[in-house]
Amino acid sequence: MTPTEPLTRGAAAPTPVRPPLPVKMVIAGGFGVGKTTAVGSISEIEPLTTEASITEVAAGVDDLTHTPRKTTTTVAMDFGCLTIDPTLKLYLFGTPGQERFGFMWDDIVEGAVGGLVVVDTRRLDDCYTAVDYFEHKGIPFAVAVNAFDGTVEHSLEEVRWALDVSEGVPVVVFDARERGSVRDALLVVLELALARTGSQAVS
């Protein structure tokens, strides 16, 4: 073999296909706002849920006024995943909504690039805890107003004012039951997180 001959003969070896980059995202919010529904709507695998029946004791603690048909609640987390494209895969973690399960949040949120705070405009008070948490941790997040029965009680500007979130926090309307709608809301968070990463790299 002369020095100019190739070391291999025949077809070139195939280029190894890299697995998509795993990215963790959190879906948070108050009790019964649609977090489990959102994960179930978008996940490409059978979602892992930790649903437990609402007992008479729990019903006395959790406000079921606006969710009278709700019979179960998340007691640990929800989990699902979504491949965005061949290079990127989202791993979705839904938090429990009740404040008494708040001690789990640090573990669930650790390593997340961003969060989607789901809001029911009929009871905005329920999402203050989630908004405060992400602001305190400095984690990029967007507010997603769940359109129960296809309607929202307040405009997006009114929601922004009531939650006192900055102009840098996107506020969008979505339907937790619709796959495409959930996807679009998650992409808003992903773009926000990528922009934050890019600005940090420049600085």
Side-chain angles (χ1 to χ4, degrees):
M1 183 175 69
T2 65
T4 58
E5 289 181 282
L7 296 178
T8 59
R9 298 180 184 276
T15 303
V17 177
R18 291 186 177 182
L21 178 70
V23 174
K24 181 178 182 180
M25 192 174 292
V26 174
I27 298 179
F31 171 75
V33 295
K35 302 181 298 298
T36 299
T37 300
V39 173
S41 296
I42 196 67
S43 179
E44 62 194 21
I45 64 170
E46 184 68 26
L48 169 67
T49 62
T50 55
E51 293 281 284
S53 296
I54 298 176
T55 64
E56 290 185 8
V57 174
V61 176
D62 301 319
D63 184 5
L64 300 177
T65 303
H66 295 288
T67 54
R69 294 187 297 273
K70 186 172 178 61
T71 60
T72 62
T73 184
T74 301
V75 295
M77 69 175 186
D78 301 312
F79 173 78
C81 63
L82 171 67
T83 301
I84 299 296
D85 59 38
T87 68
L88 190 65
K89 188 168 187 175
L90 291 184
Y91 288 89
L92 308 172
F93 291 79
T95 66
Q98 302 92 323
E99 289 190 20
R100 62 180 181 278
F101 296 126
F103 65 91
M104 301 179 183
W105 277 49
D106 284 345
D107 290 332
I108 294 174
V109 173
E110 183 177 3
V113 300
L116 186 70
V117 176
V118 182
V119 171
D120 180 350
T121 55
R122 298 171 299 182
R123 44 197 176 95
L124 286 173
D125 290 358
D126 290 355
C127 70
Y128 289 153
T129 300
V131 169
D132 289 344
Y133 183 91
F134 285 110
E135 287 181 338
H136 178 71
K137 293 290 185 179
I139 298 173
F141 71 98
V143 172
V145 178
N146 196 1
F148 286 89
D149 299 321
T151 62
V152 293
E153 296 290 324
H154 304 283
S155 70
L156 295 186
E157 283 307 311
E158 288 174 330
V159 172
R160 180 183 297 281
W161 177 85
L163 298 180
D164 193 26
V165 293
S166 70
E167 289 296 327
V169 176
V171 180
V172 300
V173 174
F174 88 130
D175 189 329
R177 301 164 298 181
E178 298 292 334
R179 178 181 176 84
S181 186
V182 177
R183 177 204 61 210
D184 291 345
L186 293 174
L187 289 176
V188 169
V189 180
L190 183 60
E191 291 174 0
L192 193 65
L194 292 175
R196 172 78 65 89
T197 301
S199 63
Q200 289 176 343
V202 171
S203 60

